[in-house]
């Protein structure tokens, strides 16, 4: 039997899962449980016999997981303890505690719980999924893979905020970054494509999804990332502002009387493309531009401008760049964003070929002209496969 890993990504009211065949890299089944704890829950399971949908109340993560097992049993593929090499869990915040994946035990669970102060919305929700899955599969090894681990290699110069040292230390304030699993997968795949070892190349990764982040990866090691203490910093995102002068917050507190929660809501959920154009979805923004909407046009210009700033900054930090890679929902599908975000950088050896760039990319695609100094590629991300691989690698080391 092939090496199979069930990858679980648990949110506060949802569980996303994928059964991965690590040998072939294929997804054997994918699924989603939504609206856990609400009046009516929803299940979607896609296996060898197509898609199955189910509506029924889901009291908690545990009962959601039990129904997922029943869906596997009824609609396939086989999901027994014997058929699974591991269960891999995505966890958002590993702080400075987890520089790599970890085998779950009660102590690891407690550490993830402690780190909830840094990710109050995510770590407790991730833990609920871990607990439910451990209950369902007590004999299978459970491995946690953190969104922050890949960026634990950042040098102090990159992760340190220039604030009072004692305060920063007391409250663990530093840059942790995020989307690490994606940045790692994409930068390694890029090395493979170029026929090199990751240690031989420098890559700038642009993960442009609803959440967006840039990273600089030197010789396979993350040395810069645009997300900070939380995923709010950096690029313009679907609903997050990205970089902003922190004084805007004091100013809004003083002149608009806004509370901490209101400011949190403003910057995390009502800003970015949504705040600027009225929609967080890039497809709507392009449609609005075509219809002559000036706000949407400016929103896109701000979006490109920010990406270009990061590409320039990371170019300067790396000194030499072998490749720039686009990934995630916008990076993989939006040719207009790709070509505009990198326009005018020819003097840095960065070019995008309009014909190669055109259209959505479902597979790894070179979009720079042959012979360009910097290879520009689209590499579809696969965080589930990366989590499954890391789980198997960790178990092999034991
Ligand atoms: P992700 O968070 O990686 O799932 O990316 C989701 C985002 O990708 C959506 O909010 C859209 O803005 C964007 N997206 C998805 N499909 C397309 C497309 N065909 N063209 C442009 N943007 C897209």
């Amino acid at each position: 039997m092939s090496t199979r890993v069930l990858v679980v990504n648990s949110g506060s009211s949802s569980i996303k899962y994928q059964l991965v065949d690590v040998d072939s890299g294929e997804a054997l089944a994918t699924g989603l449980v939504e609206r856990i704890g609400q009046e009516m829950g929803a299940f979607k399971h896609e296996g060898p016999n197509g898609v199955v949908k189910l509506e029924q109340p889901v009291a908690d993560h545990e009962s959601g997981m039990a129904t997922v097992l029943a869906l596997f049993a009824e609609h396939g593929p086989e999901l027994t303890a014997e058929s699974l090499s591991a269960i891999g869990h995505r966890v958002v915040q590993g702080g400075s505690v987890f520089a790599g994946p970890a085998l779950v035990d009660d102590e690891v669970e407690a550490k993830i719980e402690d780190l909830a102060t840094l990710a109050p919305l995510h770590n407790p929700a991730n833990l609920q999924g871990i607990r439910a899955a451990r209950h369902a599969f007590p004999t299978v090894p459970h491995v946690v893979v953190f969104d922050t681990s890949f960026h634990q290699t950042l040098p102090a110069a990159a992760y340190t905020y220039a604030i009072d040292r004692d305060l920063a230390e007391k409250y663990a304030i530093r840059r942790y970054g995020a989307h690490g699993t994606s940045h790692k997968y994409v930068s390694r795949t890029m090395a493979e494509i170029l026929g090199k070892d990751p240690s031989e190349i420098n890559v700038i990764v642009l993960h442009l999804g609803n959440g967006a982040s840039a990273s600089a990866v030197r010789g396979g090691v993350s040395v810069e990332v645009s997300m900070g203490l939380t995923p709010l910093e950096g690029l313009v995102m679907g609903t997050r502002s990205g970089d902003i002068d922190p004084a805007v917050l004091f100013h809004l507190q003083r002149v608009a009387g806004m509370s901490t929660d209101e400011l949190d809501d403003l910057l995390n959920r009502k800003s970015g493309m949504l705040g600027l154009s009225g929609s967080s979805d890039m497809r709507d923004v392009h449609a609005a531009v075509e219809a002559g909407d000036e706000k949407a046009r400016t929103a896109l210009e701000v979006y490109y401008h920010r990406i270009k700033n990061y590409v320039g900054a990371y170019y300067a930090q790396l000194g030499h760049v072998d490749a720039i890679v686009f990934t995630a929902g916008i990076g993989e599908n939006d040719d207009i964003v790709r070509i505009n975000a990198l326009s005018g950088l020819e003097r840095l050896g960065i070019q995008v070929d309009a014909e190669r760039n055109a259209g959505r990319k479902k597979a790894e695609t070179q979009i720079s002209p042959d012979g360009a100094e910097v290879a520009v590629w689209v590499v579809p991300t696969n965080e589930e496969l990366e989590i499954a691989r890391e789980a198997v690698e960790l178990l092999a080391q034991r």
Side-chain angles (χ1 to χ4, degrees), residues 29-57:
T30 58
L32 178 63
V33 187
E34 287 180 292
R35 302 200 292 273
I36 296 172
Q38 296 174 26
E39 213 167 290
M40 186 52 80
F43 292 82
K44 185 178 170 196
H45 178 84
E46 188 167 5
N49 305 317
V51 180
V52 189
K53 288 185 180 177
L54 192 64
E55 292 232 328
Q56 68 181 49

Side-chain angles (χ1 to χ4, degrees), residues 16 179 207-212 238 273 279-286 303 327-335 337 360 362 381 383:
K16 251 199 243 172
H179 291 149
H207 176 114
L208 309 178
N210 192 34
M273 297 311 280
S279 173
S280 63
D281 193 305
M282 224 25 123
R283 289 163 285 199
D284 299 341
V285 181
H286 289 307
Y303 189 87
T327 196
I330 297 166
E332 293 165 25
N333 294 307
D334 195 329
D335 48 0
V337 163
R360 301 171 65 183
K362 294 278 161 229
T381 195
E383 290 167 281

Side-chain angles (χ1 to χ4, degrees), residues 42-98:
F43 292 82
K44 185 178 170 196
H45 178 84
E46 188 167 5
N49 305 317
V51 180
V52 189
K53 288 185 180 177
L54 192 64
E55 292 232 328
Q56 68 181 49
V58 198
D60 50 24
H61 287 69
E62 201 129 309
S63 77
M65 192 59 79
T67 307
V68 168
L69 297 195
L71 285 166
F72 269 102
E74 193 175 343
H75 303 285
E78 183 191 13
L79 188 76
T80 55
E82 296 68 41
S83 69
L84 280 176
S85 300
I87 298 182
H89 298 270
R90 174 178 182 238
V91 178
V92 164
Q93 182 55 268
S96 303
V97 180
F98 295 103

